[in-house]
Amino acid sequence: HAGGDSVAMDAAAGFRVAADAMLLLHVAVGAFVILGLVLTLLGGCLKWRWVHNRWFRGVHLLFIAVIVAQAWLGIVCPLTTWEMQLRQAAGQQTYDETFVAYWLGNLLFIEAEWWAFAITYSAYSAFGLLVMVSLWRVPAKRRNGHVTHALLESTKPKYKNR
């Protein structure tokens, strides 16, 4: 039935676009983690105020913490899993990508011996440690400009004496 084939082709195209979007998101997360640290360290030297923003620093720390934990626990990133599921739903081989997927995928995915991944995981960990050090060297600040070395302060309400 010709109408059914058209709907299936449209669905497959939609899944391919969604898979490419997932890959773009994955690259954006990687760029945020890497550039976030570079800009934080550079901004600390150049006295950029925005690099002290607690939300930015907290999200940045969370992202690298998740990446390091996934690497050491052997957990595949959910973005990778979802992208591959979308590609399969589109009728593509797992690595039978579009132009965008092929080039962006080469930035994220490699095939190597086990020891290369051990080095990579160690590099993730070192990068995560460097992010932690950056919190000390370029501390987050409250809106009033006071330095806070702990991103997560006590959530207990503070009452004044009456």
Side-chain angles (χ1 to χ4, degrees):
H1 175 264
D5 291 342
S6 176
V7 171
M9 286 176 39
D10 288 346
F15 284 123
R16 274 194 306 276
V17 168
D20 286 349
M22 189 64 63
L23 183 58
L24 282 170
L25 175 63
H26 208 164
V27 170
V29 168
F32 171 73
V33 168
I34 293 167
L35 293 175
L37 179 60
V38 170
L39 292 174
T40 295
L41 296 175
L42 184 62
C45 294
L46 298 175
K47 308 291 187 222
W48 295 342
R49 290 178 53 154
W50 69 268
V51 299
H52 298 280
N53 181 283
R54 289 178 7 164
W55 285 101
F56 164 69
R57 300 301 295 283
V59 170
H60 187 248
L61 177 62
L62 176 66
F63 276 37
I64 190 60
V66 169
I67 291 167
V68 169
Q70 287 175 343
W72 282 107
L73 296 173
I75 298 171
V76 175
C77 178
L79 297 176
T80 301
T81 302
W82 296 331
E83 178 203 348
M84 294 305 127
Q85 289 172 346
L86 288 166
R87 292 207 185 284
Q88 287 175 344
Q92 293 180 312
Q93 293 287 328
T94 304
Y95 285 100
D96 183 24
E97 301 96 1
T98 64
F99 178 80
V100 171
Y102 175 78
W103 289 105
L104 292 179
N106 284 331
L107 292 174
L108 287 176
F109 308 114
I110 60 170
E111 290 185 30
E113 297 292 327
W114 69 267
W115 54 266
F117 288 103
I119 291 171
T120 301
Y121 298 160
S122 297
Y124 286 165
S125 298
F127 193 88
L129 183 60
L130 190 54
V131 169
M132 295 293 292
V133 168
S134 79
L135 290 171
W136 173 69
R137 297 292 298 153
V138 185
K141 293 183 180 179
R142 296 185 191 139
R143 284 188 184 181
N144 63 9
H146 292 119
V147 171
T148 174
H149 286 282
L151 286 175
L152 303 175
E153 296 177 337
S154 173
T155 56
K156 292 181 184 176
K158 297 177 183 170
Y159 299 102
K160 294 182 178 179
N161 291 336
R162 296 183 191 198

